[in-house]
Each structure stands twice: as structure tokens, then as C-alpha cells.
Amino acid sequence: ILAPRKPGDTQLAQKLSDLLHSGSFKKLSQDEKTAVLSQARNYPTSAVVGNLGRLLDKGWFQGMSLEDKQRSLKTIAYMTDYSHGDRTILDNTLNKLLDPKLNFSLEWKTQAPGVGAYYSAGTGRVTMNSSDVPADNQPVESASVWQIVNAVPHEINHAIDDVHVAPTFAYLEKEYQAYYTGDQAQNGRPMTRKEVADLWRDKLLDTSGIYRKAASGALADPVEAAK
């Protein structure tokens, strides 16, 4: 793990030692330890190893199956190492998931490939699509990138806000806010005016799409439609 470390990353050896000697690591099965160290090998930085250690301490992670632990380890490692996005949003997202004083969490459920994650209001829990993040010890593949660096910040945005609104313009506006956050997290820049217009026209106001109930309700009401 130490051989490919980034120049100037002088804390990797200490972070790795802290991880290996932690009680949470020692409690893992051999397969689970291999999964942890595999992601440390795939993304060998002190920041990644430090966040993997924080992940091991989370109760929601400890209760997962081996397969879902592999997916979660990939998610945390890749999000920590990702260099093409907005690091402030990504780091804030990671801190919400890993802070021992906070109750945000991830879970994995099988859904159709490409289906996004979702947040269950009032729970702090983000449900991820296990179809998009393979359960193995390999690095993250391109097909998993959106789910990790866009969908997770999107849903954590909902979890932080945790506002319960009726299926009206207010609901669509909250979705827009989350989409904007996820897109900037992944791409490292604000959405363009065209991207925003396309999002509203093609997704948020599509009366036959996933927001059809809110879109139809808002557009049928003159006051909401004007908004």
C-alpha cells in the first residue's frame, strides 16, 4: 500500500497503522479486512485511509453484509479521492456520513440499473442502488461514478434539509436544489443556464416522468404554475 503513495503524503503510514490497530478493524472477518485494505491499496492516500477508519466505526456499516460493506468502502474511498469535482461539497457529504455525532447513513438495495438513490424523509438514511456499484475489492468503474459522487451528495442534501413538502412547486424546487448540488459535486462547477433549463423541462416538469405527480399538480394550479 505504501509504495504508490502520492508525493508529499507523509501521513499515510501513520494513518494505516492507526487503521490496522483500531478495535473496529480487528473485529472484522478476514474477508472484511481484505475489503478494507483493498480500497486502501486502490486509493493509497492518508485522507482515504483516515476516512475508511471513520467508516469502520459507524454502526450502520458494522451491521452490513460483506457485499454491502464492499460497496460502502468503495463509495467512501472513491469520494475521498475524487479529484474532478467540488471538494467542498464532497468533503461536507463525507463528514455528514462519517461524523460519529451525526445519524446519517447509507444502505444498499437492488434496483434497476441506472436508477438513482433516494432518501427516506425523517430517517437520515440514503438508499443506494446496489446494481450500480459491484460488490468486490476492485477500484470503482466508470459505471459507478455517478452513483457515488453525484447521487450521494444529492441525497445527503435532502437529508440535511429534511423538509416535508406537498407535491407542488416547493417539492420540485427542493429536487432542483439537490440536483444542482450533486451535479456540482461531480463536475466541479455550477450548472450552466442551459443545463438548468434542460433539467426543468426534461425531468422536473415532465408530467409522465418520475416527478409526474408533483409536476402535474403544480402545473394544474395557476398559482403554482406561475412559480
Side-chain angles (χ1 to χ4, degrees), residues 17-44:
S17 176
D18 293 343
L19 177 68
L20 294 174
H21 290 92
S22 69
S24 296
F25 182 81
K26 292 178 180 179
K27 292 177 183 177
L28 298 175
S29 69
Q30 289 303 311
D31 286 342
E32 291 168 340
K33 289 177 180 177
T34 297
V36 174
L37 295 178
S38 293
Q39 295 310 319
R41 177 192 62 206
N42 293 335
Y43 306 101

Side-chain angles (χ1 to χ4, degrees), residues 7-83:
D9 190 355
T10 59
Q11 297 300 310
L12 178 56
Q14 183 59 55
K15 290 289 186 181
L16 186 58
S17 176
D18 293 343
L19 177 68
L20 294 174
H21 290 92
S22 69
S24 296
F25 182 81
K26 292 178 180 179
K27 292 177 183 177
L28 298 175
S29 69
Q30 289 303 311
D31 286 342
E32 291 168 340
K33 289 177 180 177
T34 297
V36 174
L37 295 178
S38 293
Q39 295 310 319
R41 177 192 62 206
N42 293 335
Y43 306 101
T45 72
S46 58
V48 168
V49 174
N51 278 343
L52 292 178
R54 296 170 73 192
L55 176 61
L56 299 191
D57 290 336
K58 298 296 291 188
W60 55 264
F61 174 81
Q62 295 167 5
M64 287 180 167
S65 65
L66 170 61
E67 291 77 12
D68 287 349
K69 283 177 177 170
Q70 289 173 314
R71 294 184 176 100
S72 297
L73 289 162
K74 276 188 174 185
T75 295
I76 297 304
Y78 189 79
M79 193 184 301
T80 303
D81 194 60
Y82 188 70
S83 61

Side-chain angles (χ1 to χ4, degrees), residues 3 7 24 28-29 31 48 85 100 112 127 131 139 152-153 176 181 198 203 209-210 220 222:
S24 296
L28 298 175
S29 69
D31 286 342
V48 168
T127 301
S131 299
V152 178
Y176 165 60
T181 299
D198 290 347
K203 185 165 289 186
I210 60 174

Side-chain angles (χ1 to χ4, degrees), residues 137-213:
N137 297 327
Q138 301 304 309
V140 168
E141 299 178 351
S142 58
S144 302
V145 171
W146 178 88
Q147 185 79 211
I148 292 173
V149 297
N150 189 315
V152 178
H154 175 124
E155 300 303 337
I156 288 295
N157 182 275
H158 282 315
I160 294 169
D161 207 17
D162 203 25
V163 175
H164 302 256
V165 295
T168 60
F169 173 76
Y171 175 89
L172 297 172
E173 190 174 39
K174 293 298 181 184
E175 285 297 337
Y176 165 60
Q177 175 183 307
Y179 272 108
Y180 197 102
T181 299
D183 188 90
Q184 184 164 331
Q186 180 176 5
N187 297 314
R189 59 165 178 79
M191 296 179 72
T192 66
R193 291 173 64 89
K194 182 180 185 304
E195 288 169 341
V196 169
D198 290 347
L199 171 64
W200 276 97
R201 182 190 64 241
D202 299 336
K203 185 165 289 186
L204 296 177
L205 294 178
D206 180 2
T207 55
S208 62
I210 60 174
Y211 302 111
R212 56 187 175 273
K213 181 178 179 181

